[in-house]
């Protein structure tokens, strides 16, 4: 069980950032649903609710998703339901139930770089950057590799490049964590193949992506790309599934996602 | 810490701890329809509405309810009774422990979804677990209640 000594509702991001860095036990709150599963002793809980970070905004070039946007907003937003074949909405719609999706936030999920995340896998297949209060703009793949200590994720920014995309996953039951998830996207000859919940953090299968980008996209080459992806990334074992099982199903999920993009 | 809320359309003041979750505050203030089942955000038993949206009260800090409208099943009694009759009629209630949370989610769905399909219903109710009845009777009851063929 977590404990919280004080509760703050800062008026500006700078105030929130300074508070976060004042004491090691101070902690930013997203929806608070995941934090409660742990046992952190929090000094001051920093609630970002007053900072207007709860909107999804579309401009000519970008889609911007604020840190406090919930997964239910992502799931039901009319723009996201269509953008890139709706993969962001698709990716979050099986996360527990509608009640948890009304709580869990985008900022907390991306900042925490959870290995099991469905949302991060889908985001990585798009042309995504994250805006951090101190570090500024970072490409999502760089952020996933390096993280950004003691910072606050402000928003996620997706370039509207016009990618076609597909998301696939395997779960034991609808509201369980994914055993594996896959996202694939294509912009002209540029393909991206992403595999997440391995159970390690989502990663780009660079070799498979490169192979697809230069291939004739026949059934055989799609199969070959899926095999390359399953070999180039590492897989692990946890309660949800073994390394071998994950590797095996990755081929089927990647193949399916590529075929969906081609359809 | 004192927070002002509106609960079931009436203004109220709650005195809450910064690390208290809404399910605990509500039970402390006498809203005993709120059940704690899994206490990990997975079962849906503690569902209430916060500004008309169904949420898990076990997973939302009470401080987050500040200035907001909370609705518990006590606030939608008549509608809940009508819905419950359908569940009873289809033999979809046994111990009843999950019923308040389930009914709050069904009523939220009724407000949110227009002409839902069977698939939409199942998807919306995914976060409500019941360990007695199985879900077939519940689905029959909800379809009848919503007039879905
Ligand atoms: C029961 C349960 C089941 C789940 N199942 C799945 C699943 O199947 N698939 C899936 O993809 N996800 C799943 N999740 C995770 C969920 O989707 C969210 O990713 C998770 O709950 C975090 O969101 P939150 O808003 O609750 O975070 P919080 O608990 O508020 O915060 C989590 C962490 O992020 C930090 N943080 C919050 N906001 C920011 C910010 N803006 N900047 C910097 N740091 C920040 C907090 O300090 C904390 O360390 C599940 C969660 C729960 C509770």
């Amino acid at each position: 069980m977590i404990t919280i000594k004080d509760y703050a509702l800062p008026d500006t991001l700078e105030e929130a950032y300074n508070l976060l860095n004042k004491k090691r036990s101070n902690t930013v709150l997203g929806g608070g649903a995941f934090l409660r599963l742990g046992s952190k002793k929090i000094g001051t809980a920093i609630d970002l609710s007053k900072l207007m970070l709860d909107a999804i905004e579309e401009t000519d070039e970008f889609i911007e998703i604020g840190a406090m946007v919930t997964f239910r907003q992502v799931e039901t937003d009319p723009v996201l339901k269509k953008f890139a074949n709706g993969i962001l909405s698709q990716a979050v719609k099986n996360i527990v139930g509608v009640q948890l999706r009304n709580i869990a936030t985008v900022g907390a999920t991306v900042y925490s770089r959870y290995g099991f995340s469905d949302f991060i896998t889908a985001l990585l297949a798009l042309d995504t950057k994250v805006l951090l209060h101190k570090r500024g703009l970072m490409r999502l793949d760089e952020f996933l590799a390096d993280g950004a200590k003691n910072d606050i994720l402000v928003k996620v920014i997706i370039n509207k490049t016009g990618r076609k995309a597909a998301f696939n996953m395997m779960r034991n039951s609808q509201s369980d964590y994914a055993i594996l998830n896959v996202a694939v996207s294509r912009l002209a000859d540029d393909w991206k193949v992403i595999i997440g919940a391995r159970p390690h953090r989502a990663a780009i299968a660079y070799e498979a992506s490169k192979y697809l980008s230069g291939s004739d996209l026949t059934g055989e080459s799609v199969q070959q790309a899926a095999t390359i992806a399953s070999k180039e990334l590492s897989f692990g074992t946890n309660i949800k599934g073994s390394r071998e099982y994950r590797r095996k199903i990755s081929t089927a999920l990647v193949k399916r996602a590529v075929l969906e993009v081609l359809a | 810490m004192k927070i002002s809320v509106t609960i079931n359309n009436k203004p109220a003041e709650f005195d809450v701890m910064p690390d208290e979750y809404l399910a605990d505050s509500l039970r402390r203030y006498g809203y005993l329809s709120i059940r704690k089942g899994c206490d990990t955000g997975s079962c849906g038993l503690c569902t209430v509405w916060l500004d008309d949206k169904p949420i898990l009260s076990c997973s939302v800090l009470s401080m987050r309810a500040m200035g907001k409208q909370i609705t518990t099943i006590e606030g939608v009694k008549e509608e809940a009774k009508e819905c419950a009759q359908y569940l009873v009629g289809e033999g979809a209630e046994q111990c009843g422990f999950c019923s308040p949370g389930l009914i709050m989610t069904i009523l939220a769905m009724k407000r949110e979804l227009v002409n839902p399909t069977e698939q939409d219903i199942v998807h919306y109710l995914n976060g409500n677990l019941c360990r007695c009845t199985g879900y077939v009777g519940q689905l029959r009851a909800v379809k009848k209640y919503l007039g879905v063929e």
Side-chain angles (χ1 to χ4, degrees), chain A:
Chain A
M1 211 166 79
I2 57 163
T3 60
I4 301 174
K5 266 198 185 140
D6 286 311
Y7 198 94
L9 275 152
D11 290 310
T12 64
L13 267 166
E14 187 62 14
E15 198 187 318
Y17 177 83
N18 289 336
L19 201 48
L20 176 65
N21 284 280
K22 203 167 159 188
K23 221 171 156 197
R24 267 186 67 185
S25 61
N26 293 357
T27 303
V28 172
L29 292 178
F34 209 77
L35 267 171
R36 83 177 289 278
L37 299 179
S39 54
K40 195 166 183 186
K41 307 264 170 276
I42 296 173
T44 300
I46 304 161
D47 183 340
L48 308 179
S49 295
K50 279 166 88 178
L51 305 181
M52 319 264 266
L53 300 176
D54 58 353
I56 298 170
E57 279 165 329
E58 187 186 21
T59 64
D60 286 347
E61 274 182 85
F62 303 106
I63 290 176
E64 302 191 346
I65 309 177
M68 293 298 281
V69 165
T70 66
F71 279 164
R72 184 68 178 155
Q73 281 174 272
V74 171
E75 182 187 353
T76 57
D77 183 80
V79 172
L80 292 186
K81 272 167 92 170
K82 289 203 186 124
F83 177 69
N85 308 83
I87 62 160
L88 296 177
S89 303
Q90 291 294 324
V92 298
K93 76 172 198 195
N94 287 307
I95 297 177
V96 196
V98 69
Q99 305 98 313
L100 186 90
R101 296 198 296 279
N102 271 326
I103 303 172
T105 57
V106 163
T109 302
V110 178
Y111 187 82
S112 301
R113 303 184 292 155
Y114 299 123
F116 56 73
S117 174
D118 296 303
F119 186 62
I120 292 175
T121 299
L123 273 183
L124 197 53
L126 305 175
D127 302 285
T128 308
K129 288 186 175 158
V130 295
L131 179 64
L132 296 146
H133 179 65
K134 243 333 157 259
R135 274 290 289 270
L137 264 186
M138 270 178 104
R139 266 186 14 217
L140 178 63
D141 56 340
E142 287 170 357
F143 173 73
L144 291 176
D146 301 342
K149 256 194 149 185
N150 296 338
D151 212 333
I152 297 176
L153 194 142
V154 181
K155 57 181 153 184
V156 167
I157 302 171
I158 309 163
N159 205 328
K160 285 165 60 181
T161 45
R163 281 186 181 274
K164 263 194 95 179
F167 175 84
N168 261 306
M169 51 74 196
M170 175 77 122
R171 283 172 146 76
N172 276 334
S173 71
Q174 286 229 358
S175 54
D176 201 357
Y177 288 93
I179 301 170
L180 198 80
N181 53 39
V182 162
V184 168
S185 75
R186 176 192 197 182
L187 177 64
D189 285 337
D190 178 35
W191 285 80
K192 280 193 196 187
V193 177
I194 319 294
I195 309 183
R198 297 175 290 118
H200 323 302
R201 207 171 280 154
I204 303 175
Y206 286 105
E207 290 301 319
S209 304
K210 203 167 113 194
Y211 178 84
L212 269 178
S213 301
S215 93
D216 53 3
L217 302 173
T218 57
E220 235 166 71
S221 45
V222 172
Q223 177 66 47
Q224 178 63 10
T227 307
I228 295 172
S230 76
K231 286 189 177 150
E232 71 171 293
L233 292 174
S234 62
F235 295 84
T237 298
N238 68 1
I239 192 170
K240 302 286 167 211
S242 68
R243 183 162 61 117
E244 294 75 17
Y245 181 66
R246 283 191 160 97
R247 194 182 294 285
K248 199 101 191 151
I249 61 171
S250 72
T251 326
L253 292 186
V254 168
K255 189 174 157 190
R256 241 178 254 170
V258 174
L259 292 176
E260 262 178 60
V261 171
L262 284 173

Side-chain angles (χ1 to χ4, degrees), chain B residues 8 21 30 47-48 64 90 95 120:
Chain B
N8 299 330
Y21 278 82
T47 302
V48 301
R64 274 278 160 79
E90 295 300 324
C95 83
D120 295 334

